[in-house]
Amino acid sequence: QEHEIEARQSENERLMKNLAEREHEIEALQSKNEHFTENLDKRERETKVLQSQNEQLMNKLSQHNQEIEALTLLNNAQHAELQEVYASWSWKLTKPLRRLNRLRKNFLRM
């Protein structure tokens, strides 16, 4: 019976040691979990900031694209208007006068 008590005490000590080791492992895992949770929270905050910045940039890009479209339309309209001027009868009629004026300016520069 004494031998049985010693065996049970030895088993109890082994189990207590095992329990202490497991508790230590649990504490280490809880610490890691807290660290990962903090990192996750930080990354989520960073993600929200980046998403907000991205949204602002996308809005600016959309505005710039609209401005480009409007300016392209204006440019096309002005180009068409200029082509109409170049094709006009008065532009063709005044071509010799423009050439003479250019020659006069070149002559005066000399």
Side-chain angles (χ1 to χ4, degrees):
Q1 193 176 20
E2 208 173 291
H3 183 322
E4 192 178 313
I5 290 174
E6 286 177 7
R8 287 186 186 245
Q9 284 178 340
S10 175
E11 177 68 14
N12 190 27
E13 287 174 6
R14 186 185 67 75
L15 290 173
M16 290 298 284
K17 182 179 176 186
N18 194 333
L19 178 61
E21 288 173 359
R22 295 290 181 239
E23 286 175 346
H24 181 70
E25 289 174 5
I26 288 171
E27 287 175 8
L29 290 172
Q30 284 174 336
S31 176
K32 282 184 179 181
N33 187 39
E34 288 174 11
H35 175 72
F36 289 140
T37 301
E38 289 170 3
N39 263 347
L40 179 61
D41 290 344
K42 180 182 176 186
R43 296 288 186 240
E44 286 175 347
R45 287 190 302 274
E46 290 172 351
T47 299
K48 285 180 183 178
V49 168
L50 291 173
Q51 285 173 336
S52 174
Q53 290 174 347
N54 185 48
E55 187 176 324
Q56 291 172 359
L57 290 172
M58 292 301 288
N59 288 338
K60 283 184 181 180
L61 179 61
S62 177
Q63 290 172 355
H64 289 305
N65 284 338
Q66 289 174 357
E67 289 174 16
I68 288 170
E69 271 186 52
L71 291 172
T72 299
L73 290 173
L74 178 62
N75 183 46
N76 291 342
Q78 289 176 341
H79 181 73
E81 186 177 339
L82 185 58
Q83 292 306 313
E84 287 177 15
V85 168
Y86 289 153
S88 71
W89 182 79
S90 62
W91 185 260
K92 291 175 184 174
L93 183 66
T94 58
K95 185 175 184 177
L97 294 175
R98 288 192 308 278
R99 273 195 190 153
L100 283 174
N101 193 33
R102 196 174 324 119
L103 289 173
R104 182 185 61 82
K105 286 180 182 177
N106 288 338
F107 179 74
L108 292 176
R109 276 190 238 158
M110 292 183 187

